[in-house]
């Protein structure tokens, strides 16, 4: 099991001409290459400060092949981890930002939106889950920085959501007798979740500077990352 590492670091491309719409590159040491499946209107969009952000409107999504670093539990215990992403939300009804989740073949973790944003963890053997949802609704059509963290405790009290560097109020959303996530060979996806390998909950909007961390960052680290990247999204420094 990989711990204490950044296992995915998908960044914007800055300046120059429009990037390829075939591959999203990972600058973590694992160098995952995300294969972009183009559906309707999938493209790069140039926003603030010459940054290209990938745009999902329709059925565009990105798949990163399964990797041990994306597994956050052993079936007996969980590991702390976190997800960072800048996001611009269009349609927010039943949309998925990122996940290692296939409804039929196996669920592990998921960031999903349905008016509010939720972070879920699944124990498939127990048919159980723990999660929280941001109490406030999503602000659409504006870039927002989110961080989702989990301390590995096996309880929804160990899950937090941060918005623009600060922790936000959340509401638990859990069911069953959760123990731990189980390792799986399900691919990691950006912009959807899967159902028997097929796309579900296609996301609508833009994302950028998306990270998966196989450790629990402290609040100061989260705040520092927000302040170091906000200029890319037109947020005054």
């Amino acid at each position: 099991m990989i711990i204490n590492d950044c296992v995915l670091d998908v960044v914007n491309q800055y300046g120059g001409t429009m990037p390829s719409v075939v591959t999203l590159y990972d600058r973590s040491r694992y160098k995952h290459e995300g294969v972009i499946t183009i559906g309707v209107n999938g493209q790069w969009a140039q926003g603030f400060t010459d940054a290209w952000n990938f745009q999902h409107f329709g059925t565009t999504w990105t798949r990163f092949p399964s990797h041990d670093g994306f597994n956050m539990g052993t079936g007996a215990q969980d590991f702390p981890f976190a997800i960072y992403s800048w996001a611009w939300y269009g349609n927010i009804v039943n949309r998925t930002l990122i996940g290692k989740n296939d409804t039929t073949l196996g669920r592990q973790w998921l960031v999903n939106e349905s008016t509010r944003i939720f972070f879920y963890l699944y124990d498939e053997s127990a048919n159980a889950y723990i999660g929280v949802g941001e109490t406030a609704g999503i602000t659409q059509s504006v870039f927002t920085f989110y961080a989702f963290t989990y301390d590995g405790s096996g309880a929804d009290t160990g899950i937090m959501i941060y918005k623009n560097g600060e922790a936000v109020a959340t509401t638990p959303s859990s069911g069953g007798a959760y123990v731990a996530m189980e390792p799986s060979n399900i691919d990691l996806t950006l912009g959807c979740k899967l159902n028997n390998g097929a796309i579900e909950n296609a996301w609508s909007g833009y994302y950028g500077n998306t990270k998966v961390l196989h450790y629990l960052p402290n609040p100061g680290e989260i705040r520092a990352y927000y302040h170091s990247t906000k200029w890319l999204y037109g947020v005054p420094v």
Side-chain angles (χ1 to χ4, degrees):
M1 176 62 69
I2 296 168
I3 58 174
N4 297 327
D5 208 352
C6 176
V7 293
L8 185 71
D9 189 2
V10 179
V11 297
N12 313 72
Q13 179 166 314
Y14 305 111
T17 58
M18 181 182 293
S20 165
V21 293
V22 177
T23 305
L24 277 181
Y25 293 104
D26 167 30
R27 71 175 183 184
S28 80
R29 69 187 180 94
Y30 301 100
K31 305 300 182 189
H32 304 291
E33 291 189 358
V35 178
I36 300 172
T37 301
I38 301 298
V40 181
N41 297 329
Q43 61 184 347
W44 290 85
Q46 194 165 27
F48 302 105
T49 62
D50 289 333
W52 293 93
N53 302 280
F54 198 73
Q55 175 183 6
H56 288 249
F57 284 114
T59 57
T60 308
W61 54 289
T62 308
R63 182 193 295 256
F64 290 88
S66 179
H67 182 264
D68 189 42
F70 301 150
N71 282 314
M72 302 302 177
T74 67
Q77 70 177 86
D78 284 337
F79 293 89
F81 77 107
I83 301 162
Y84 293 172
S85 191
W86 280 88
W88 185 102
Y89 293 94
N91 188 312
I92 55 173
V93 179
N94 295 327
R95 307 289 174 168
T96 296
L97 174 60
I98 186 171
K100 184 175 170 63
N101 185 290
D102 188 302
T103 305
T104 303
L105 302 179
R107 300 170 298 171
Q108 195 175 106
W109 50 268
L110 180 72
V111 174
N112 203 61
E113 298 86 35
S114 184
T115 307
R116 297 186 294 138
I117 194 162
F118 294 85
F119 182 28
Y120 291 114
L121 315 175
Y122 297 91
D123 180 345
E124 285 284 75
S125 62
N127 193 26
Y129 66 94
I130 56 175
V132 300
E134 184 186 6
T135 303
I138 294 171
T139 303
Q140 292 179 254
S141 304
V142 62
F143 270 112
T144 303
F145 173 70
Y146 280 100
F148 309 90
T149 69
Y150 172 52
D151 65 4
S153 63
D156 56 29
T157 53
I159 304 173
M160 296 188 68
I161 299 175
Y162 294 77
K163 180 189 286 186
N164 294 335
E166 302 297 332
V168 298
T170 58
T171 304
S173 178
S174 303
Y178 180 95
V179 176
M181 291 175 281
E182 297 174 348
S184 76
N185 61 0
I186 301 301
D187 292 345
L188 184 153
T189 53
L190 285 171
C192 75
K193 68 184 185 76
L194 302 175
N195 189 350
N196 203 24
I199 185 173
E200 273 193 347
N201 291 17
W203 195 56
S204 176
Y206 307 88
Y207 61 73
N209 289 86
T210 302
K211 289 176 176 278
V212 178
L213 307 175
H214 216 304
Y215 66 91
L216 181 66
N218 63 51
E221 183 178 342
I222 293 169
R223 194 175 302 114
Y225 187 79
Y226 163 68
H227 286 294
S228 70
T229 55
K230 67 182 182 180
W231 65 277
L232 297 169
Y233 299 93
V235 179
V237 296

